[in-house]
Amino acid sequence: MHRRLWFEPKVFDFNNAACQNLRSPYDDVTAMSRFKNMVGQWFFALLTSWTLPVAAAEDASLQISLEGGAFNAKFKFFDAADGCPSYNDIPGATNFLGGVRASDKGSSKKLPLNTPIHVFLFKPRDTPGISAAGGATEIRRRALQLTLSGDASLRYTEFNDHVPSWEASDNLRVAPADSCLAPEDSAPQPATLPTPDSAAKTETPDT
């Protein structure tokens, strides 16, 4: 007896095979994109964890106020790390750190730690007098030099010839702004009194 073998014919699905061939590279690209995104997020998180604590450690918050307040007045801040600043307050000027409104309630300002900073109470009505008195020299006479070691507060209480008296909290060292001057410039030179010998030598001879 002859046994007939039946073979089930198989139809090759070219469309399905083509789709599989196309899907595989797409899946690879998608997986690579996800991997890159994960690496980018991980790198950003790591970078943030490094930079944020450092930035926070370099600044401190100063709460500054003026007893009674003043209309249209501002506290302006200048970096004095490299010596006396120029007090140029146009945007982008070297040493200018910005300003805050002068009020009885007070305003907060972020400032660098352990850095000499000049704070000047600016009133537009005082401009002519400042210019007549020497400009930057007069501003320096009216300003204060601050050095912060942490968050602190400063309050102006009264004025004597435009020079402020103040109350300061811990973490704040306050000095006259003239502290930025070199010793030979800040201290007046003592007058040299002539000795009897030198006076005799300089006497005008009789004619």
Side-chain angles (χ1 to χ4, degrees):
M1 177 183 292
H2 295 285
R3 182 178 298 174
R4 298 184 63 182
L5 299 178
W6 292 92
F7 297 96
E8 183 180 354
K10 292 184 178 180
V11 179
F12 188 77
D13 190 348
F14 288 97
N15 291 331
N16 186 46
C19 290
Q20 290 179 354
N21 291 335
L22 290 175
R23 192 182 303 120
S24 180
Y26 174 78
D27 291 342
D28 292 342
V29 171
T30 303
M32 182 59 70
S33 298
R34 290 176 179 172
F35 176 74
K36 288 181 178 179
N37 289 337
M38 291 177 60
V39 171
Q41 292 173 2
W42 176 83
F43 179 76
F44 178 78
L46 184 61
L47 182 64
T48 302
S49 66
W50 286 344
T51 56
L52 287 182
V54 173
E58 292 178 349
D59 293 332
S61 178
L62 175 68
Q63 181 73 15
I64 185 167
S65 60
L66 171 64
E67 189 168 308
F71 174 74
N72 203 25
K74 295 185 73 175
F75 289 108
K76 297 192 174 185
F77 300 89
F78 302 87
D79 190 333
D82 297 327
C84 298
S86 65
Y87 304 112
N88 187 349
D89 59 359
I90 62 174
T94 303
N95 304 126
F96 183 49
L97 300 176
V100 295
R101 189 170 67 90
S103 68
D104 184 77
K105 181 180 178 181
S107 302
S108 181
K109 176 67 176 174
K110 283 285 188 181
L111 295 170
L113 281 170
N114 304 314
T115 301
I117 297 163
H118 285 193
V119 55
F120 168 60
L121 178 63
F122 173 70
K123 301 177 183 179
R125 68 187 183 191
D126 291 342
T127 301
I130 292 172
S131 299
T137 302
E138 179 64 10
I139 292 175
R140 187 163 56 243
R141 187 184 75 85
R142 301 183 184 199
L144 298 176
Q145 180 166 295
L146 316 177
T147 307
L148 282 80
S149 57
D151 293 344
S153 64
L154 175 69
R155 183 170 178 83
Y156 281 41
T157 56
E158 60 182 356
F159 294 87
N160 180 14
D161 191 20
H162 300 287
V163 177
S165 298
W166 67 88
E167 297 173 351
S169 71
D170 293 338
N171 299 326
L172 181 62
R173 188 168 70 251
V174 185
D178 287 342
S179 301
C180 66
L181 294 171
E184 60 270 17
D185 296 328
S186 58
Q189 297 297 322
T192 302
L193 299 177
T195 64
D197 292 340
S198 63
K201 292 179 183 178
T202 56
E203 289 180 351
T204 303
D206 296 332
T207 55

mmCIF file with all atom_site columns, all heavy atoms in Angstrom, residues 90-110:
data_model
loop_
_atom_site.group_PDB
_atom_site.id
_atom_site.type_symbol
_atom_site.label_atom_id
_atom_site.label_alt_id
_atom_site.label_comp_id
_atom_site.label_asym_id
_atom_site.label_entity_id
_atom_site.label_seq_id
_atom_site.pdbx_PDB_ins_code
_atom_site.Cartn_x
_atom_site.Cartn_y
_atom_site.Cartn_z
_atom_site.occupancy
_atom_site.B_iso_or_equiv
_atom_site.pdbx_formal_charge
_atom_site.auth_seq_id
_atom_site.auth_comp_id
_atom_site.auth_asym_id
_atom_site.auth_atom_id
_atom_site.pdbx_PDB_model_num
ATOM 1   N N   . ILE A 1 90  ? 25.511 101.725 36.719 1.00 0.00 ? 90  ILE A N   1
ATOM 2   C CA  . ILE A 1 90  ? 24.760 101.370 35.523 1.00 0.00 ? 90  ILE A CA  1
ATOM 3   C C   . ILE A 1 90  ? 24.741 99.850  35.397 1.00 0.00 ? 90  ILE A C   1
ATOM 4   O O   . ILE A 1 90  ? 25.663 99.163  35.875 1.00 0.00 ? 90  ILE A O   1
ATOM 5   C CB  . ILE A 1 90  ? 25.358 102.014 34.256 1.00 0.00 ? 90  ILE A CB  1
ATOM 6   C CG1 . ILE A 1 90  ? 26.791 101.509 34.017 1.00 0.00 ? 90  ILE A CG1 1
ATOM 7   C CG2 . ILE A 1 90  ? 25.344 103.525 34.354 1.00 0.00 ? 90  ILE A CG2 1
ATOM 8   C CD1 . ILE A 1 90  ? 27.390 101.979 32.702 1.00 0.00 ? 90  ILE A CD1 1
ATOM 9   N N   . PRO A 1 91  ? 23.694 99.275  34.781 1.00 0.00 ? 91  PRO A N   1
ATOM 10  C CA  . PRO A 1 91  ? 23.638 97.812  34.642 1.00 0.00 ? 91  PRO A CA  1
ATOM 11  C C   . PRO A 1 91  ? 24.873 97.265  33.943 1.00 0.00 ? 91  PRO A C   1
ATOM 12  O O   . PRO A 1 91  ? 25.305 97.782  32.917 1.00 0.00 ? 91  PRO A O   1
ATOM 13  C CB  . PRO A 1 91  ? 22.372 97.593  33.793 1.00 0.00 ? 91  PRO A CB  1
ATOM 14  C CG  . PRO A 1 91  ? 21.523 98.792  34.064 1.00 0.00 ? 91  PRO A CG  1
ATOM 15  C CD  . PRO A 1 91  ? 22.480 99.942  34.242 1.00 0.00 ? 91  PRO A CD  1
ATOM 16  N N   . GLY A 1 92  ? 25.447 96.229  34.530 1.00 0.00 ? 92  GLY A N   1
ATOM 17  C CA  . GLY A 1 92  ? 26.638 95.610  33.969 1.00 0.00 ? 92  GLY A CA  1
ATOM 18  C C   . GLY A 1 92  ? 27.936 96.248  34.394 1.00 0.00 ? 92  GLY A C   1
ATOM 19  O O   . GLY A 1 92  ? 29.011 95.792  33.996 1.00 0.00 ? 92  GLY A O   1
ATOM 20  N N   . ALA A 1 93  ? 27.874 97.300  35.202 1.00 0.00 ? 93  ALA A N   1
ATOM 21  C CA  . ALA A 1 93  ? 29.098 97.970  35.631 1.00 0.00 ? 93  ALA A CA  1
ATOM 22  C C   . ALA A 1 93  ? 29.915 97.066  36.542 1.00 0.00 ? 93  ALA A C   1
ATOM 23  O O   . ALA A 1 93  ? 29.371 96.307  37.342 1.00 0.00 ? 93  ALA A O   1
ATOM 24  C CB  . ALA A 1 93  ? 28.764 99.270  36.352 1.00 0.00 ? 93  ALA A CB  1
ATOM 25  N N   . THR A 1 94  ? 31.220 97.150  36.408 1.00 0.00 ? 94  THR A N   1
ATOM 26  C CA  . THR A 1 94  ? 32.116 96.382  37.269 1.00 0.00 ? 94  THR A CA  1
ATOM 27  C C   . THR A 1 94  ? 31.904 96.791  38.723 1.00 0.00 ? 94  THR A C   1
ATOM 28  O O   . THR A 1 94  ? 31.774 97.984  39.026 1.00 0.00 ? 94  THR A O   1
ATOM 29  C CB  . THR A 1 94  ? 33.578 96.639  36.864 1.00 0.00 ? 94  THR A CB  1
ATOM 30  O OG1 . THR A 1 94  ? 33.731 96.311  35.488 1.00 0.00 ? 94  THR A OG1 1
ATOM 31  C CG2 . THR A 1 94  ? 34.531 95.799  37.697 1.00 0.00 ? 94  THR A CG2 1
ATOM 32  N N   . ASN A 1 95  ? 31.839 95.816  39.614 1.00 0.00 ? 95  ASN A N   1
ATOM 33  C CA  . ASN A 1 95  ? 31.691 95.998  41.059 1.00 0.00 ? 95  ASN A CA  1
ATOM 34  C C   . ASN A 1 95  ? 30.261 96.272  41.519 1.00 0.00 ? 95  ASN A C   1
ATOM 35  O O   . ASN A 1 95  ? 29.982 96.179  42.708 1.00 0.00 ? 95  ASN A O   1
ATOM 36  C CB  . ASN A 1 95  ? 32.597 97.122  41.599 1.00 0.00 ? 95  ASN A CB  1
ATOM 37  C CG  . ASN A 1 95  ? 34.059 96.918  41.285 1.00 0.00 ? 95  ASN A CG  1
ATOM 38  O OD1 . ASN A 1 95  ? 34.696 97.796  40.720 1.00 0.00 ? 95  ASN A OD1 1
ATOM 39  N ND2 . ASN A 1 95  ? 34.597 95.774  41.631 1.00 0.00 ? 95  ASN A ND2 1
ATOM 40  N N   . PHE A 1 96  ? 29.339 96.614  40.617 1.00 0.00 ? 96  PHE A N   1
ATOM 41  C CA  . PHE A 1 96  ? 27.969 96.913  41.050 1.00 0.00 ? 96  PHE A CA  1
ATOM 42  C C   . PHE A 1 96  ? 27.203 95.615  41.265 1.00 0.00 ? 96  PHE A C   1
ATOM 43  O O   . PHE A 1 96  ? 27.079 94.785  40.362 1.00 0.00 ? 96  PHE A O   1
ATOM 44  C CB  . PHE A 1 96  ? 27.263 97.784  40.014 1.00 0.00 ? 96  PHE A CB  1
ATOM 45  C CG  . PHE A 1 96  ? 25.871 98.194  40.412 1.00 0.00 ? 96  PHE A CG  1
ATOM 46  C CD1 . PHE A 1 96  ? 25.619 98.729  41.662 1.00 0.00 ? 96  PHE A CD1 1
ATOM 47  C CD2 . PHE A 1 96  ? 24.805 98.034  39.534 1.00 0.00 ? 96  PHE A CD2 1
ATOM 48  C CE1 . PHE A 1 96  ? 24.339 99.111  42.038 1.00 0.00 ? 96  PHE A CE1 1
ATOM 49  C CE2 . PHE A 1 96  ? 23.520 98.417  39.898 1.00 0.00 ? 96  PHE A CE2 1
ATOM 50  C CZ  . PHE A 1 96  ? 23.293 98.960  41.153 1.00 0.00 ? 96  PHE A CZ  1
ATOM 51  N N   . LEU A 1 97  ? 26.665 95.444  42.471 1.00 0.00 ? 97  LEU A N   1
ATOM 52  C CA  . LEU A 1 97  ? 25.968 94.218  42.841 1.00 0.00 ? 97  LEU A CA  1
ATOM 53  C C   . LEU A 1 97  ? 24.457 94.383  42.870 1.00 0.00 ? 97  LEU A C   1
ATOM 54  O O   . LEU A 1 97  ? 23.743 93.447  43.212 1.00 0.00 ? 97  LEU A O   1
ATOM 55  C CB  . LEU A 1 97  ? 26.454 93.731  44.216 1.00 0.00 ? 97  LEU A CB  1
ATOM 56  C CG  . LEU A 1 97  ? 27.949 93.408  44.315 1.00 0.00 ? 97  LEU A CG  1
ATOM 57  C CD1 . LEU A 1 97  ? 28.311 93.042  45.754 1.00 0.00 ? 97  LEU A CD1 1
ATOM 58  C CD2 . LEU A 1 97  ? 28.323 92.284  43.365 1.00 0.00 ? 97  LEU A CD2 1
ATOM 59  N N   . GLY A 1 98  ? 23.967 95.563  42.521 1.00 0.00 ? 98  GLY A N   1
ATOM 60  C CA  . GLY A 1 98  ? 22.528 95.790  42.516 1.00 0.00 ? 98  GLY A CA  1
ATOM 61  C C   . GLY A 1 98  ? 22.083 96.575  43.733 1.00 0.00 ? 98  GLY A C   1
ATOM 62  O O   . GLY A 1 98  ? 22.886 97.013  44.567 1.00 0.00 ? 98  GLY A O   1
ATOM 63  N N   . GLY A 1 99  ? 20.782 96.765  43.842 1.00 0.00 ? 99  GLY A N   1
ATOM 64  C CA  . GLY A 1 99  ? 20.231 97.546  44.939 1.00 0.00 ? 99  GLY A CA  1
ATOM 65  C C   . GLY A 1 99  ? 18.878 97.040  45.370 1.00 0.00 ? 99  GLY A C   1
ATOM 66  O O   . GLY A 1 99  ? 18.240 96.234  44.685 1.00 0.00 ? 99  GLY A O   1
ATOM 67  N N   . VAL A 1 100 ? 18.426 97.518  46.530 1.00 0.00 ? 100 VAL A N   1
ATOM 68  C CA  . VAL A 1 100 ? 17.101 97.194  47.058 1.00 0.00 ? 100 VAL A CA  1
ATOM 69  C C   . VAL A 1 100 ? 16.490 98.462  47.631 1.00 0.00 ? 100 VAL A C   1
ATOM 70  O O   . VAL A 1 100 ? 17.190 99.414  47.975 1.00 0.00 ? 100 VAL A O   1
ATOM 71  C CB  . VAL A 1 100 ? 17.160 96.103  48.155 1.00 0.00 ? 100 VAL A CB  1
ATOM 72  C CG1 . VAL A 1 100 ? 17.640 94.781  47.578 1.00 0.00 ? 100 VAL A CG1 1
ATOM 73  C CG2 . VAL A 1 100 ? 18.046 96.537  49.317 1.00 0.00 ? 100 VAL A CG2 1
ATOM 74  N N   . ARG A 1 101 ? 15.171 98.475  47.717 1.00 0.00 ? 101 ARG A N   1
ATOM 75  C CA  . ARG A 1 101 ? 14.469 99.648  48.234 1.00 0.00 ? 101 ARG A CA  1
ATOM 76  C C   . ARG A 1 101 ? 14.754 99.821  49.720 1.00 0.00 ? 101 ARG A C   1
ATOM 77  O O   . ARG A 1 101 ? 14.778 98.855  50.486 1.00 0.00 ? 101 ARG A O   1
ATOM 78  C CB  . ARG A 1 101 ? 12.963 99.489  47.995 1.00 0.00 ? 101 ARG A CB  1
ATOM 79  C CG  . ARG A 1 101 ? 12.146 100.738 48.282 1.00 0.00 ? 101 ARG A CG  1
ATOM 80  C CD  . ARG A 1 101 ? 10.728 100.567 47.782 1.00 0.00 ? 101 ARG A CD  1
ATOM 81  N NE  . ARG A 1 101 ? 10.018 99.548  48.556 1.00 0.00 ? 101 ARG A NE  1
ATOM 82  C CZ  . ARG A 1 101 ? 9.305  99.814  49.656 1.00 0.00 ? 101 ARG A CZ  1
ATOM 83  N NH1 . ARG A 1 101 ? 9.236  101.052 50.111 1.00 0.00 ? 101 ARG A NH1 1
ATOM 84  N NH2 . ARG A 1 101 ? 8.681  98.841  50.277 1.00 0.00 ? 101 ARG A NH2 1
ATOM 85  N N   . ALA A 1 102 ? 14.956 101.069 50.117 1.00 0.00 ? 102 ALA A N   1
ATOM 86  C CA  . ALA A 1 102 ? 15.195 101.390 51.523 1.00 0.00 ? 102 ALA A CA  1
ATOM 87  C C   . ALA A 1 102 ? 13.862 101.642 52.208 1.00 0.00 ? 102 ALA A C   1
ATOM 88  O O   . ALA A 1 102 ? 13.153 102.590 51.864 1.00 0.00 ? 102 ALA A O   1
ATOM 89  C CB  . ALA A 1 102 ? 16.100 102.608 51.645 1.00 0.00 ? 102 ALA A CB  1
ATOM 90  N N   . SER A 1 103 ? 13.520 100.798 53.160 1.00 0.00 ? 103 SER A N   1
ATOM 91  C CA  . SER A 1 103 ? 12.244 100.932 53.858 1.00 0.00 ? 103 SER A CA  1
ATOM 92  C C   . SER A 1 103 ? 12.410 100.569 55.319 1.00 0.00 ? 103 SER A C   1
ATOM 93  O O   . SER A 1 103 ? 13.428 99.980  55.724 1.00 0.00 ? 103 SER A O   1
ATOM 94  C CB  . SER A 1 103 ? 11.185 100.028 53.218 1.00 0.00 ? 103 SER A CB  1
ATOM 95  O OG  . SER A 1 103 ? 11.505 98.664  53.433 1.00 0.00 ? 103 SER A OG  1
ATOM 96  N N   . ASP A 1 104 ? 11.402 100.923 56.102 1.00 0.00 ? 104 ASP A N   1
ATOM 97  C CA  . ASP A 1 104 ? 11.440 100.582 57.523 1.00 0.00 ? 104 ASP A CA  1
ATOM 98  C C   . ASP A 1 104 ? 11.280 99.077  57.721 1.00 0.00 ? 104 ASP A C   1
ATOM 99  O O   . ASP A 1 104 ? 11.891 98.490  58.621 1.00 0.00 ? 104 ASP A O   1
ATOM 100 C CB  . ASP A 1 104 ? 10.323 101.336 58.255 1.00 0.00 ? 104 ASP A CB  1
ATOM 101 C CG  . ASP A 1 104 ? 10.359 101.103 59.751 1.00 0.00 ? 104 ASP A CG  1
ATOM 102 O OD1 . ASP A 1 104 ? 11.219 101.709 60.416 1.00 0.00 ? 104 ASP A OD1 1
ATOM 103 O OD2 . ASP A 1 104 ? 9.538  100.310 60.261 1.00 0.00 ? 104 ASP A OD2 1
ATOM 104 N N   . LYS A 1 105 ? 10.477 98.451  56.859 1.00 0.00 ? 105 LYS A N   1
ATOM 105 C CA  . LYS A 1 105 ? 10.268 97.005  56.956 1.00 0.00 ? 105 LYS A CA  1
ATOM 106 C C   . LYS A 1 105 ? 11.523 96.241  56.584 1.00 0.00 ? 105 LYS A C   1
ATOM 107 O O   . LYS A 1 105 ? 11.825 95.190  57.167 1.00 0.00 ? 105 LYS A O   1
ATOM 108 C CB  . LYS A 1 105 ? 9.107  96.593  56.053 1.00 0.00 ? 105 LYS A CB  1
ATOM 109 C CG  . LYS A 1 105 ? 8.786  95.115  56.099 1.00 0.00 ? 105 LYS A CG  1
ATOM 110 C CD  . LYS A 1 105 ? 7.614  94.781  55.177 1.00 0.00 ? 105 LYS A CD  1
ATOM 111 C CE  . LYS A 1 105 ? 7.310  93.297  55.186 1.00 0.00 ? 105 LYS A CE  1
ATOM 112 N NZ  . LYS A 1 105 ? 6.180  92.960  54.269 1.00 0.00 ? 105 LYS A NZ  1
ATOM 113 N N   . GLY A 1 106 ? 12.249 96.738  55.598 1.00 0.00 ? 106 GLY A N   1
ATOM 114 C CA  . GLY A 1 106 ? 13.494 96.095  55.192 1.00 0.00 ? 106 GLY A CA  1
ATOM 115 C C   . GLY A 1 106 ? 13.365 95.280  53.926 1.00 0.00 ? 106 GLY A C   1
ATOM 116 O O   . GLY A 1 106 ? 12.271 94.912  53.507 1.00 0.00 ? 106 GLY A O   1
ATOM 117 N N   . SER A 1 107 ? 14.492 95.017  53.311 1.00 0.00 ? 107 SER A N   1
ATOM 118 C CA  . SER A 1 107 ? 14.579 94.222  52.093 1.00 0.00 ? 107 SER A CA  1
ATOM 119 C C   . SER A 1 107 ? 15.724 93.234  52.236 1.00 0.00 ? 107 SER A C   1
ATOM 120 O O   . SER A 1 107 ? 16.672 93.465  52.991 1.00 0.00 ? 107 SER A O   1
ATOM 121 C CB  . SER A 1 107 ? 14.806 95.115  50.869 1.00 0.00 ? 107 SER A CB  1
ATOM 122 O OG  . SER A 1 107 ? 13.770 96.067  50.730 1.00 0.00 ? 107 SER A OG  1
ATOM 123 N N   . SER A 1 108 ? 15.634 92.135  51.487 1.00 0.00 ? 108 SER A N   1
ATOM 124 C CA  . SER A 1 108 ? 16.655 91.092  51.547 1.00 0.00 ? 108 SER A CA  1
ATOM 125 C C   . SER A 1 108 ? 17.513 91.144  50.289 1.00 0.00 ? 108 SER A C   1
ATOM 126 O O   . SER A 1 108 ? 17.009 91.373  49.191 1.00 0.00 ? 108 SER A O   1
ATOM 127 C CB  . SER A 1 108 ? 16.001 89.718  51.682 1.00 0.00 ? 108 SER A CB  1
ATOM 128 O OG  . SER A 1 108 ? 16.977 88.705  51.768 1.00 0.00 ? 108 SER A OG  1
ATOM 129 N N   . LYS A 1 109 ? 18.810 90.934  50.473 1.00 0.00 ? 109 LYS A N   1
ATOM 130 C CA  . LYS A 1 109 ? 19.738 90.959  49.351 1.00 0.00 ? 109 LYS A CA  1
ATOM 131 C C   . LYS A 1 109 ? 20.759 89.839  49.516 1.00 0.00 ? 109 LYS A C   1
ATOM 132 O O   . LYS A 1 109 ? 21.371 89.694  50.571 1.00 0.00 ? 109 LYS A O   1
ATOM 133 C CB  . LYS A 1 109 ? 20.455 92.320  49.307 1.00 0.00 ? 109 LYS A CB  1
ATOM 134 C CG  . LYS A 1 109 ? 21.512 92.452  48.234 1.00 0.00 ? 109 LYS A CG  1
ATOM 135 C CD  . LYS A 1 109 ? 20.918 92.437  46.853 1.00 0.00 ? 109 LYS A CD  1
ATOM 136 C CE  . LYS A 1 109 ? 21.977 92.672  45.781 1.00 0.00 ? 109 LYS A CE  1
ATOM 137 N NZ  . LYS A 1 109 ? 21.434 92.525  44.420 1.00 0.00 ? 109 LYS A NZ  1
ATOM 138 N N   . LYS A 1 110 ? 20.942 89.044  48.452 1.00 0.00 ? 110 LYS A N   1
ATOM 139 C CA  . LYS A 1 110 ? 21.964 88.004  48.447 1.00 0.00 ? 110 LYS A CA  1
ATOM 140 C C   . LYS A 1 110 ? 23.316 88.638  48.124 1.00 0.00 ? 110 LYS A C   1
ATOM 141 O O   . LYS A 1 110 ? 23.457 89.334  47.115 1.00 0.00 ? 110 LYS A O   1
ATOM 142 C CB  . LYS A 1 110 ? 21.633 86.939  47.406 1.00 0.00 ? 110 LYS A CB  1
ATOM 143 C CG  . LYS A 1 110 ? 20.552 85.968  47.827 1.00 0.00 ? 110 LYS A CG  1
ATOM 144 C CD  . LYS A 1 110 ? 21.066 84.975  48.846 1.00 0.00 ? 110 LYS A CD  1
ATOM 145 C CE  . LYS A 1 110 ? 20.036 83.883  49.134 1.00 0.00 ? 110 LYS A CE  1
ATOM 146 N NZ  . LYS A 1 110 ? 20.522 82.930  50.150 1.00 0.00 ? 110 LYS A NZ  1
#
